[in-house]
Amino acid sequence: NSKLRHVEKDVLIPQIMRDRAKERCSDEVRAFTKCCQETGLLMVAKCRQENTALKDCLVGYYTDPLFYEECKAEYLKQREEYRKTGIKKKRQRHTSN
């Protein structure tokens, strides 16, 4: 049964999307974090370019219907596995070096 409840569509799948988008935008996340650490309180003004690049990257994934379907498939696979075993699998974080 692949019917999705409200909480799955509006909370659980978007959480997978956010996590995966952050992984895929890791260069932008790193650049923004580094800028913020180096500039402190002036980050709002000084890190505008890095913030824009990060937002553009993330929004690109959030609005991509294929990416949504990919994350939905991942969620359904996790849900099916949980229903079979009763064991909730922690989501693995992929890091790029």
XYZ file of all heavy atoms in Angstrom:
805
model
N 0.848 -1.189 0.000
C 0.000 0.000 0.000
C 0.892 1.251 0.000
O 1.598 1.510 0.945
C -0.889 -0.034 1.234
C -1.843 1.139 1.316
O -1.861 1.991 0.435
N -2.624 1.181 2.357
N 0.832 2.011 -1.072
C 1.697 3.185 -1.177
C 0.929 4.490 -0.950
O 1.379 5.550 -1.332
C 2.405 3.210 -2.525
O 1.462 3.311 -3.558
N -0.257 4.410 -0.345
C -0.994 5.628 0.008
C -0.211 6.385 1.067
O 0.339 5.796 1.983
C -2.363 5.258 0.586
C -3.393 4.933 -0.448
C -4.253 6.136 -0.639
C -5.485 5.763 -1.438
N -5.973 6.852 -2.198
N -0.169 7.690 0.918
C 0.580 8.516 1.870
C -0.379 9.298 2.760
O -1.346 9.881 2.283
C 1.481 9.498 1.121
C 2.623 8.878 0.340
C 3.302 9.935 -0.502
C 3.620 8.228 1.272
N -0.068 9.300 4.047
C -0.833 10.116 4.991
C -0.328 11.555 4.893
O 0.763 11.812 4.388
C -0.637 9.598 6.418
C -1.194 8.203 6.641
C -0.868 7.677 8.021
N 0.588 7.590 8.135
C 1.267 7.714 9.265
N 0.647 7.944 10.397
N 2.576 7.622 9.294
N -1.124 12.456 5.425
C -0.789 13.887 5.427
C 0.602 14.123 6.016
O 1.428 14.838 5.435
C -1.866 14.649 6.202
C -1.536 16.063 6.521
N -1.523 17.054 5.553
C -1.186 16.660 7.681
C -1.188 18.206 6.121
N -0.987 17.995 7.413
N 0.885 13.514 7.170
C 2.171 13.723 7.844
C 3.333 13.185 6.995
O 4.430 13.734 7.015
C 2.175 13.108 9.269
C 2.203 11.589 9.234
C 3.345 13.631 10.072
N 3.089 12.141 6.236
C 4.147 11.593 5.389
C 4.469 12.556 4.241
O 5.630 12.826 3.964
C 3.724 10.224 4.841
C 3.625 9.174 5.924
C 3.031 7.865 5.448
O 2.005 7.893 4.720
O 3.589 6.821 5.805
N 3.412 13.064 3.602
C 3.610 13.989 2.476
C 4.187 15.332 2.906
O 5.021 15.900 2.216
C 2.274 14.256 1.760
C 1.841 13.149 0.855
C 0.677 13.572 0.000
C -0.600 13.388 0.771
N -1.807 13.562 -0.030
N 3.716 15.837 4.049
C 4.068 17.196 4.454
C 5.228 17.295 5.443
O 5.759 18.383 5.645
C 2.841 17.895 5.052
C 1.730 18.062 4.023
O 2.012 17.951 2.811
O 0.575 18.286 4.436
N 5.592 16.185 6.076
C 6.651 16.238 7.082
C 7.780 15.247 6.788
O 8.944 15.640 6.667
C 6.082 15.974 8.507
C 7.195 15.964 9.536
C 5.021 17.003 8.864
N 7.437 13.980 6.680
C 8.473 12.944 6.603
C 9.247 12.959 5.287
O 10.481 12.902 5.286
C 7.857 11.573 6.881
C 7.185 11.460 8.256
C 6.492 10.118 8.412
C 8.191 11.677 9.372
N 8.543 13.038 4.169
C 9.240 13.085 2.869
C 10.015 14.394 2.718
O 11.184 14.367 2.320
C 8.270 12.826 1.704
C 7.762 11.379 1.785
C 8.953 13.079 0.354
C 6.652 11.041 0.824
N 9.431 15.558 3.080
C 10.230 16.797 3.017
C 11.489 16.749 3.888
O 12.506 17.330 3.529
C 9.249 17.877 3.485
C 7.915 17.351 3.065
C 8.005 15.866 3.308
N 11.433 16.025 5.017
C 12.631 15.899 5.858
C 13.727 15.138 5.108
O 14.895 15.533 5.137
C 12.295 15.180 7.174
C 13.501 15.033 8.095
C 14.098 16.368 8.491
O 13.400 17.261 8.950
N 15.392 16.542 8.307
N 13.360 14.073 4.415
C 14.333 13.337 3.604
C 14.875 14.259 2.512
O 16.079 14.285 2.251
C 13.698 12.071 2.985
C 13.408 11.049 4.088
C 14.612 11.462 1.921
C 12.636 9.823 3.628
N 13.993 15.045 1.901
C 14.421 15.973 0.852
C 15.425 16.980 1.407
O 16.449 17.239 0.768
C 13.213 16.709 0.254
C 12.300 15.814 -0.541
S 10.849 16.693 -1.172
C 11.592 17.659 -2.493
N 15.146 17.545 2.581
C 16.070 18.521 3.171
C 17.426 17.891 3.455
O 18.468 18.459 3.137
C 15.478 19.116 4.458
C 14.439 20.189 4.205
C 14.056 20.921 5.474
N 13.442 20.058 6.476
C 12.150 19.723 6.494
N 11.336 20.184 5.564
N 11.678 18.945 7.436
N 17.407 16.698 4.053
C 18.663 16.025 4.374
C 19.478 15.730 3.117
O 20.678 15.998 3.066
C 18.398 14.704 5.117
C 17.852 14.910 6.519
O 17.929 16.046 7.032
O 17.356 13.922 7.098
N 18.810 15.196 2.111
C 19.530 14.833 0.885
C 19.991 16.065 0.119
O 21.058 16.064 -0.476
C 18.652 13.940 0.014
C 18.444 12.568 0.696
C 17.752 11.601 -0.168
N 18.712 11.124 -1.168
C 18.363 10.485 -2.258
N 17.104 10.239 -2.508
N 19.259 10.080 -3.117
N 19.175 17.123 0.115
C 19.570 18.357 -0.577
C 20.805 18.953 0.090
O 21.722 19.415 -0.595
C 18.419 19.361 -0.593
N 20.844 18.939 1.433
C 22.024 19.460 2.140
C 23.265 18.657 1.784
O 24.349 19.218 1.648
C 21.807 19.432 3.653
C 20.924 20.540 4.153
C 20.753 20.451 5.661
C 19.649 21.354 6.144
N 19.297 21.091 7.542
N 23.097 17.334 1.637
C 24.230 16.490 1.234
C 24.700 16.870 -0.169
O 25.890 17.003 -0.417
C 23.825 15.012 1.257
C 23.585 14.465 2.643
C 22.879 13.116 2.635
O 22.639 12.552 1.541
O 22.567 12.611 3.725
N 23.741 17.055 -1.070
C 24.087 17.365 -2.460
C 24.597 18.792 -2.628
O 25.288 19.090 -3.597
C 22.886 17.114 -3.364
C 22.558 15.634 -3.439
C 21.428 15.368 -4.371
N 21.140 13.941 -4.420
C 20.336 13.394 -5.312
N 19.733 14.142 -6.213
N 20.119 12.102 -5.295
N 24.258 19.677 -1.706
C 24.724 21.063 -1.743
C 25.858 21.264 -0.739
O 26.055 22.376 -0.232
C 23.571 22.024 -1.427
S 22.219 21.990 -2.619
N 26.608 20.221 -0.449
C 27.617 20.284 0.620
C 28.686 21.354 0.363
O 29.164 21.978 1.303
C 28.259 18.918 0.849
O 28.921 18.482 -0.310
N 29.044 21.592 -0.894
C 30.037 22.641 -1.190
C 29.500 24.012 -0.778
O 30.209 24.814 -0.167
C 30.406 22.654 -2.673
C 31.220 21.436 -3.083
O 31.768 20.731 -2.185
O 31.311 21.176 -4.297
N 28.236 24.274 -1.107
C 27.620 25.546 -0.757
C 27.438 25.681 0.758
O 27.626 26.760 1.316
C 26.263 25.695 -1.472
C 26.378 25.893 -2.964
C 26.522 24.592 -3.766
O 26.669 23.507 -3.171
O 26.505 24.663 -4.995
N 27.059 24.576 1.410
C 26.918 24.591 2.872
C 28.255 24.932 3.517
O 28.340 25.780 4.409
C 26.399 23.218 3.399
C 26.504 23.144 4.919
C 24.958 22.981 2.970
N 29.329 24.283 3.037
C 30.672 24.527 3.581
C 31.102 25.974 3.379
O 31.628 26.612 4.290
C 31.693 23.583 2.926
C 32.121 22.453 3.835
C 33.330 21.699 3.304
N 33.249 21.261 1.919
C 32.603 20.168 1.520
N 31.997 19.405 2.378
N 32.581 19.841 0.253
N 30.877 26.506 2.177
C 31.289 27.880 1.880
C 30.541 28.874 2.766
O 31.132 29.812 3.308
C 31.044 28.196 0.403
N 29.229 28.670 2.940
C 28.435 29.572 3.774
C 28.870 29.469 5.235
O 29.046 30.487 5.920
C 26.945 29.257 3.629
C 26.067 30.135 4.467
C 25.962 31.497 4.201
C 25.355 29.617 5.533
C 25.159 32.320 4.983
C 24.550 30.427 6.319
C 24.447 31.769 6.038
N 29.067 28.258 5.723
C 29.496 28.054 7.109
C 30.844 28.702 7.359
O 31.041 29.397 8.367
C 29.564 26.541 7.432
O 28.276 25.970 7.199
C 29.977 26.292 8.863
N 31.773 28.516 6.432
C 33.114 29.093 6.571
C 33.033 30.622 6.604
O 33.653 31.276 7.437
C 34.008 28.635 5.418
C 35.425 29.129 5.512
C 36.276 28.579 4.382
C 37.698 29.055 4.544
N 38.314 29.461 3.317
N 32.235 31.184 5.699
C 32.080 32.640 5.656
C 31.520 33.153 6.984
O 32.015 34.129 7.541
C 31.163 33.036 4.504
S 30.920 34.820 4.358
N 30.499 32.485 7.506
C 29.878 32.906 8.765
C 30.869 32.829 9.921
O 30.916 33.730 10.758
C 28.655 32.052 9.075
S 27.272 32.373 7.970
N 31.655 31.778 9.956
C 32.628 31.618 11.031
C 33.698 32.701 10.970
O 34.161 33.185 11.989
C 33.279 30.235 10.962
C 32.335 29.121 11.364
C 32.891 27.738 11.073
O 33.807 27.565 10.280
N 32.312 26.733 11.711
N 34.071 33.091 9.756
C 35.134 34.084 9.592
C 34.660 35.510 9.823
O 35.457 36.373 10.175
C 35.743 33.957 8.191
C 36.555 32.694 8.005
C 37.024 32.502 6.567
O 36.644 33.309 5.688
O 37.758 31.530 6.331
N 33.381 35.790 9.605
C 32.915 37.179 9.680
C 32.109 37.512 10.929
O 31.890 38.680 11.220
C 32.078 37.548 8.438
O 30.984 36.644 8.346
C 32.896 37.515 7.191
N 31.643 36.499 11.658
C 30.909 36.751 12.899
C 29.645 37.558 12.682
O 28.817 37.216 11.854
N 29.506 38.657 13.411
C 28.276 39.447 13.373
C 28.010 40.114 12.023
O 26.881 40.483 11.733
C 28.315 40.523 14.465
C 28.287 39.994 15.902
C 28.448 41.148 16.877
C 27.010 39.235 16.178
N 29.029 40.275 11.217
C 28.847 40.912 9.909
C 28.382 39.932 8.827
O 28.288 40.287 7.662
C 30.164 41.559 9.463
C 30.693 42.676 10.367
C 32.068 43.132 9.888
C 29.725 43.849 10.390
N 28.081 38.697 9.234
C 27.765 37.667 8.244
C 26.579 38.026 7.355
O 26.566 37.669 6.192
C 27.544 36.315 8.904
C 26.295 36.177 9.704
S 26.227 34.540 10.401
C 25.011 34.808 11.658
N 25.593 38.742 7.881
C 24.422 39.093 7.079
C 24.846 39.880 5.839
O 24.377 39.622 4.739
C 23.403 39.897 7.912
C 22.263 40.402 7.049
C 22.869 39.046 9.056
N 25.751 40.805 6.012
C 26.202 41.625 4.884
C 27.300 40.936 4.072
O 27.276 40.953 2.849
C 26.713 42.970 5.396
N 28.238 40.318 4.761
C 29.427 39.775 4.086
C 29.182 38.446 3.373
O 29.879 38.130 2.418
C 30.562 39.581 5.094
C 31.030 40.856 5.736
C 32.212 41.397 5.012
C 32.754 42.620 5.747
N 33.888 43.175 5.107
N 28.225 37.655 3.829
C 28.034 36.300 3.290
C 26.817 36.205 2.374
O 26.299 35.117 2.141
C 27.925 35.291 4.436
S 29.377 35.272 5.497
N 26.373 37.325 1.868
C 25.187 37.348 1.017
C 25.345 36.448 -0.209
O 24.437 35.698 -0.570
C 24.899 38.790 0.592
C 23.486 38.990 0.103
C 23.153 40.454 -0.020
N 22.861 40.989 1.320
C 23.123 42.221 1.695
N 23.689 43.060 0.870
N 22.821 42.624 2.907
N 26.510 36.497 -0.839
C 26.755 35.702 -2.049
C 26.702 34.200 -1.727
O 26.072 33.424 -2.442
C 28.115 36.076 -2.639
C 28.412 35.390 -3.948
C 29.739 35.857 -4.533
O 30.284 36.884 -4.141
N 30.258 35.107 -5.475
N 27.355 33.801 -0.630
C 27.357 32.391 -0.237
C 25.958 31.929 0.164
O 25.549 30.809 -0.156
C 28.326 32.156 0.938
C 29.790 32.308 0.583
C 30.311 33.750 0.582
O 29.511 34.700 0.759
O 31.524 33.919 0.401
N 25.224 32.810 0.849
C 23.855 32.486 1.254
C 22.955 32.298 0.030
O 22.156 31.364 -0.030
C 23.306 33.586 2.163
C 21.963 33.223 2.755
O 21.703 32.077 3.067
N 21.114 34.216 2.909
N 23.100 33.173 -0.948
C 22.303 33.074 -2.175
C 22.619 31.777 -2.915
O 21.706 31.083 -3.379
C 22.558 34.289 -3.096
O 22.164 35.468 -2.381
C 21.776 34.187 -4.381
N 23.905 31.439 -3.020
C 24.301 30.204 -3.706
C 23.719 28.983 -2.992
O 23.220 28.055 -3.637
C 25.825 30.104 -3.773
N 23.749 28.996 -1.673
C 23.206 27.887 -0.899
C 21.694 27.782 -1.097
O 21.161 26.704 -1.371
C 23.537 28.058 0.587
C 22.943 27.021 1.542
C 23.312 25.602 1.142
C 23.369 27.319 2.970
N 20.991 28.911 -0.987
C 19.539 28.907 -1.174
C 19.157 28.431 -2.571
O 18.239 27.636 -2.733
C 18.956 30.303 -0.925
C 18.668 30.576 0.524
C 17.670 31.689 0.692
C 18.397 32.995 0.862
N 17.543 34.124 1.186
N 19.879 28.916 -3.586
C 19.589 28.506 -4.965
C 19.761 27.004 -5.144
O 18.959 26.348 -5.803
C 20.491 29.249 -5.957
C 20.135 30.726 -6.082
O 19.060 31.134 -5.579
O 20.934 31.478 -6.681
N 20.817 26.465 -4.553
C 21.067 25.030 -4.648
C 19.944 24.249 -3.980
O 19.371 23.330 -4.568
C 22.421 24.683 -4.019
S 22.863 22.935 -4.185
N 19.606 24.617 -2.742
C 18.574 23.898 -1.998
C 17.210 24.000 -2.674
O 16.523 22.993 -2.858
C 18.492 24.423 -0.560
C 19.711 24.168 0.320
C 19.568 24.903 1.647
C 19.943 22.683 0.545
N 16.821 25.210 -3.065
C 15.515 25.412 -3.697
C 15.426 24.636 -5.018
O 14.375 24.099 -5.364
C 15.215 26.917 -3.900
C 14.003 27.131 -4.789
C 15.001 27.579 -2.546
N 16.565 24.546 -5.712
C 16.590 23.752 -6.943
C 16.161 22.317 -6.693
O 15.396 21.740 -7.473
N 16.615 21.755 -5.582
C 16.209 20.386 -5.239
C 14.782 20.338 -4.707
O 14.014 19.452 -5.059
C 17.170 19.765 -4.217
C 18.470 19.333 -4.856
C 19.648 20.013 -4.590
C 18.513 18.272 -5.745
C 20.841 19.625 -5.187
C 19.692 17.878 -6.351
C 20.859 18.558 -6.065
O 22.020 18.179 -6.660
N 14.413 21.289 -3.840
C 13.079 21.278 -3.243
C 11.977 21.380 -4.289
O 10.867 20.904 -4.069
C 12.900 22.437 -2.250
C 13.821 22.410 -1.055
C 14.072 23.578 -0.351
C 14.439 21.247 -0.621
C 14.919 23.580 0.761
C 15.292 21.246 0.482
C 15.526 22.412 1.165
O 16.360 22.419 2.252
N 12.250 22.031 -5.404
C 11.225 22.241 -6.429
C 11.335 21.259 -7.594
O 10.576 21.370 -8.551
C 11.304 23.682 -6.971
O 12.619 23.916 -7.482
C 10.987 24.698 -5.887
N 12.243 20.299 -7.512
C 12.452 19.329 -8.587
C 11.527 18.129 -8.388
O 11.687 17.380 -7.427
C 13.913 18.875 -8.572
C 14.242 17.874 -9.666
O 13.315 17.378 -10.343
O 15.433 17.572 -9.827
N 10.538 17.927 -9.282
C 9.603 16.812 -9.104
C 10.294 15.442 -9.147
O 9.863 14.516 -8.454
C 8.609 16.966 -10.253
C 9.073 18.081 -11.102
C 10.240 18.743 -10.443
N 11.339 15.303 -9.910
C 12.054 14.025 -9.964
C 12.752 13.745 -8.631
O 12.791 12.600 -8.165
C 13.068 14.011 -11.105
C 12.486 14.024 -12.515
C 13.582 14.105 -13.558
C 11.615 12.803 -12.745
N 13.319 14.783 -8.022
C 13.965 14.641 -6.724
C 12.919 14.259 -5.668
O 13.164 13.398 -4.820
C 14.679 15.938 -6.342
C 15.451 15.864 -5.057
C 16.561 15.041 -4.936
C 15.077 16.631 -3.966
C 17.285 14.975 -3.748
C 15.798 16.571 -2.766
C 16.894 15.733 -2.671
N 11.732 14.876 -5.734
C 10.651 14.519 -4.815
C 10.307 13.045 -4.951
O 10.184 12.327 -3.946
C 9.404 15.381 -5.055
C 8.236 14.942 -4.207
C 8.113 15.377 -2.887
C 7.278 14.065 -4.704
C 7.059 14.955 -2.092
C 6.229 13.634 -3.910
C 6.124 14.074 -2.612
O 5.090 13.636 -1.824
N 10.145 12.578 -6.177
C 9.788 11.173 -6.407
C 10.882 10.236 -5.894
O 10.588 9.177 -5.352
C 9.501 10.921 -7.891
C 8.210 11.568 -8.379
C 6.966 11.111 -7.624
O 6.856 9.919 -7.278
O 6.080 11.959 -7.359
N 12.128 10.634 -6.067
C 13.263 9.850 -5.576
C 13.205 9.741 -4.041
O 13.380 8.658 -3.470
C 14.553 10.556 -6.009
C 15.830 9.829 -5.782
C 17.016 10.684 -6.244
O 17.015 11.182 -7.384
O 17.936 10.857 -5.429
N 12.948 10.850 -3.373
C 12.868 10.862 -1.914
C 11.628 10.121 -1.422
O 11.665 9.440 -0.389
C 12.889 12.295 -1.387
S 14.473 13.118 -1.702
N 10.533 10.246 -2.166
C 9.310 9.516 -1.823
C 9.560 8.013 -1.918
O 9.162 7.253 -1.022
C 8.177 9.930 -2.761
C 6.877 9.194 -2.535
C 5.812 9.758 -3.458
C 4.898 8.676 -3.956
N 3.931 9.182 -4.932
N 10.242 7.580 -2.969
C 10.558 6.156 -3.126
C 11.431 5.677 -1.970
O 11.231 4.572 -1.445
C 11.247 5.911 -4.474
N 12.395 6.494 -1.569
C 13.255 6.142 -0.437
C 12.413 6.011 0.833
O 12.581 5.069 1.607
C 14.346 7.191 -0.232
C 15.269 6.872 0.928
C 16.360 7.906 1.139
O 16.815 8.528 0.161
O 16.761 8.086 2.306
N 11.505 6.954 1.053
C 10.636 6.898 2.230
C 9.783 5.629 2.211
O 9.673 4.932 3.224
C 9.731 8.138 2.320
C 8.717 7.959 3.415
C 9.088 8.109 4.749
C 7.419 7.556 3.130
C 8.183 7.882 5.773
C 6.503 7.324 4.144
C 6.897 7.483 5.450
O 6.012 7.233 6.460
N 9.161 5.328 1.069
C 8.297 4.146 0.977
C 9.081 2.863 1.229
O 8.577 1.936 1.865
C 7.601 4.098 -0.388
C 6.537 5.178 -0.610
C 6.044 5.154 -2.045
C 5.381 4.999 0.364
N 10.317 2.826 0.772
C 11.177 1.667 1.020
C 11.453 1.530 2.514
O 11.374 0.429 3.076
C 12.486 1.826 0.235
C 13.413 0.655 0.331
C 14.651 0.907 -0.518
C 15.699 -0.148 -0.232
N 16.969 0.178 -0.839
N 11.760 2.648 3.176
C 12.001 2.636 4.623
C 10.740 2.210 5.375
O 10.797 1.426 6.326
C 12.438 4.020 5.116
C 13.811 4.436 4.677
C 14.118 5.887 5.041
O 13.327 6.564 5.689
N 15.275 6.365 4.617
N 9.596 2.731 4.925
C 8.328 2.407 5.583
C 8.002 0.926 5.433
O 7.591 0.274 6.396
C 7.203 3.260 4.994
C 5.864 3.060 5.700
C 4.791 3.946 5.128
N 4.296 3.399 3.874
C 3.259 3.889 3.210
N 2.628 4.964 3.656
N 2.853 3.353 2.092
N 8.230 0.397 4.245
C 7.970 -1.027 3.997
C 8.871 -1.899 4.875
O 8.418 -2.875 5.476
C 8.204 -1.347 2.520
C 7.941 -2.796 2.159
C 8.235 -3.099 0.698
O 8.401 -2.152 -0.098
O 8.319 -4.294 0.377
N 10.143 -1.510 4.962
C 11.096 -2.252 5.785
C 10.668 -2.216 7.261
O 10.705 -3.230 7.954
C 12.501 -1.653 5.616
C 13.596 -2.450 6.267
C 13.837 -3.807 5.632
O 13.514 -3.999 4.444
O 14.345 -4.688 6.343
N 10.221 -1.059 7.719
C 9.764 -0.916 9.101
C 8.539 -1.791 9.355
O 8.431 -2.449 10.393
C 9.451 0.553 9.419
C 8.816 0.725 10.772
C 9.575 0.597 11.928
C 7.457 0.993 10.898
C 8.996 0.736 13.186
C 6.867 1.134 12.146
C 7.641 1.006 13.278
O 7.068 1.137 14.514
N 7.612 -1.807 8.402
C 6.393 -2.605 8.580
C 6.702 -4.102 8.617
O 6.009 -4.851 9.297
C 5.396 -2.288 7.473
C 4.749 -0.919 7.661
C 3.790 -0.577 6.567
N 3.125 0.700 6.843
C 2.275 1.289 6.020
N 1.976 0.715 4.868
N 1.736 2.437 6.339
N 7.740 -4.517 7.898
C 8.139 -5.933 7.896
C 8.845 -6.318 9.193
O 8.608 -7.388 9.731
C 9.095 -6.226 6.733
C 8.443 -6.369 5.400
C 9.502 -6.745 4.378
C 9.009 -6.574 2.971
N 10.091 -6.763 2.000
N 9.744 -5.444 9.643
C 10.628 -5.812 10.758
C 10.248 -5.180 12.090
O 10.637 -5.690 13.136
C 12.079 -5.390 10.452
O 12.136 -3.959 10.376
C 12.581 -5.994 9.158
N 9.561 -4.051 12.061
C 9.264 -3.328 13.289
C 10.449 -2.532 13.800
O 10.394 -1.927 14.857
N 11.520 -2.525 13.031
C 12.737 -1.807 13.421
C 12.882 -0.581 12.544
O 12.927 -0.689 11.318
C 13.988 -2.704 13.272
C 13.856 -3.934 14.170
C 15.256 -1.920 13.604
C 14.886 -5.002 13.891
N 12.960 0.578 13.180
C 13.125 1.814 12.437
C 14.599 1.987 12.102
O 15.450 1.951 12.971
C 12.640 3.004 13.259
C 12.656 4.287 12.471
C 12.003 5.407 13.241
C 12.022 6.647 12.378
N 11.332 7.759 12.954
N 14.871 2.156 10.830
C 16.254 2.324 10.383
C 16.630 3.792 10.462
O 15.922 4.647 9.962
C 16.396 1.827 8.940
C 17.803 1.910 8.421
C 17.896 1.406 7.001
C 19.307 1.564 6.502
N 19.419 1.320 5.081
N 17.751 4.062 11.085
C 18.240 5.446 11.119
C 18.774 5.777 9.749
O 19.449 4.969 9.114
C 19.336 5.602 12.170
C 18.786 5.473 13.561
C 19.602 6.244 14.522
C 18.917 6.150 15.872
N 19.334 7.126 16.778
N 18.485 6.972 9.310
C 18.946 7.417 8.003
C 20.444 7.655 8.039
O 20.954 8.335 8.904
C 18.248 8.709 7.622
C 18.557 9.099 6.213
C 17.535 10.018 5.645
N 18.148 11.024 4.827
C 18.910 10.790 3.781
N 19.193 9.575 3.437
N 19.425 11.763 3.085
N 21.132 7.043 7.088
C 22.569 7.239 7.003
C 22.859 8.571 6.336
O 22.201 8.945 5.365
C 23.217 6.140 6.174
C 23.151 4.791 6.831
C 23.801 3.732 5.957
O 23.868 3.866 4.745
N 24.273 2.689 6.590
N 23.811 9.257 6.869
C 24.232 10.521 6.262
C 25.460 10.237 5.421
O 26.401 9.631 5.880
C 24.551 11.551 7.325
C 23.331 11.862 8.166
C 23.405 13.289 8.625
N 22.259 13.565 9.460
C 21.255 14.316 9.067
N 21.243 14.873 7.899
N 20.248 14.536 9.872
N 25.397 10.690 4.194
C 26.551 10.544 3.312
C 27.349 11.815 3.373
O 26.806 12.904 3.251
C 26.087 10.279 1.870
C 25.165 9.098 1.768
N 25.626 7.815 1.768
C 23.820 9.017 1.693
C 24.604 6.987 1.682
N 23.487 7.700 1.638
N 28.621 11.680 3.560
C 29.465 12.886 3.603
C 30.431 12.844 2.444
O 30.909 11.777 2.076
C 30.245 12.971 4.925
O 30.995 11.785 5.088
C 29.298 13.149 6.110
N 30.678 13.971 1.886
C 31.669 14.044 0.807
C 32.948 14.624 1.351
O 32.923 15.553 2.138
C 31.151 14.874 -0.362
O 30.012 15.586 -0.062
N 34.024 14.050 0.946
C 35.340 14.527 1.427
C 35.972 15.444 0.419
O 35.901 15.327 -0.706
C 36.267 13.350 1.699
C 35.739 12.513 2.861
O 34.930 12.982 3.650
N 36.195 11.281 2.942
